[in-house]
Amino acid sequence: MSLKVFSLDDVLKHNSKQDLWLVVHDKVYDITEFVLEHPGGEEVLLDEAGKDATEAFEDIGHSDEAREMLEQYLIGTLDEASQTKEHKFNVIRAGELPEQKKSSGSSLRVILPALAVIGVIAYKYILAPKAH
């Protein structure tokens, strides 16, 4: 079965609770029947209605089960002219924590406090006794 191709303008026309389409990863979904069942509430879906919701979908951290469930609402694909080439999101699956960025850490974070400690010790045991 060949999927129908839609433009983002086509999708934009379906932006109400009674007729709700959205795009995730260049695939068009008619999720009208799912609006009331959505565990996150209908408001989040209405915010993305008629739009490319890829970033919102990925940022929230949907489970593999939710991703599979979405496929039953697939009605087509987004035409090439409407596709977004770059999305800004980190894929987070439900139950996962976002990866912590490893800090390259400056060696000054270690060296400066160490020098301060050495300076205090030198003053207290070497320079301070000579002053008396």
Side-chain angles (χ1 to χ4, degrees):
M1 176 179 104
S2 179
L3 290 173
K4 190 167 179 185
V5 178
F6 298 97
S7 71
L8 203 48
D9 288 337
D10 294 331
V11 176
L12 183 59
K13 296 172 188 172
H14 305 272
N15 60 2
S16 70
K17 185 176 175 178
Q18 293 75 27
D19 182 22
L20 200 157
W21 292 11
L22 50 78
V23 175
V24 177
H25 294 293
D26 300 325
K27 293 180 180 178
V28 179
Y29 299 93
D30 178 353
I31 58 167
T32 307
E33 294 178 19
F34 182 68
V35 174
L36 294 176
E37 298 173 32
H38 186 249
E42 64 187 56
E43 251 339 280
V44 294
L45 295 178
L46 290 171
D47 287 345
E48 298 301 320
K51 301 182 201 171
D52 186 336
T54 302
E55 289 182 26
F57 183 82
E58 292 297 353
D59 284 344
I60 206 68
H62 285 90
S63 66
D64 290 335
E65 181 181 347
R67 292 167 191 280
E68 290 171 17
M69 185 184 294
L70 184 61
E71 291 306 309
Q72 72 186 357
Y73 301 104
L74 179 65
I75 58 169
T77 60
L78 202 57
D79 68 3
E80 198 167 321
S82 300
Q83 293 179 8
T84 302
K85 301 301 177 209
E86 290 185 31
H87 290 283
K88 296 175 184 160
F89 61 84
N90 292 322
V91 176
I92 299 172
R93 304 284 179 163
E96 292 180 353
L97 295 174
E99 283 187 29
Q100 296 265 336
K101 294 194 182 221
K102 294 182 179 165
S103 112
S104 57
S106 170
S107 57
L108 291 178
R109 290 185 185 177
V110 175
I111 293 172
L112 289 179
L115 288 175
V117 169
I118 291 170
V120 168
I121 292 171
Y123 176 79
K124 184 171 182 168
Y125 292 106
I126 297 172
L127 298 176
K130 290 183 182 176
H132 293 290

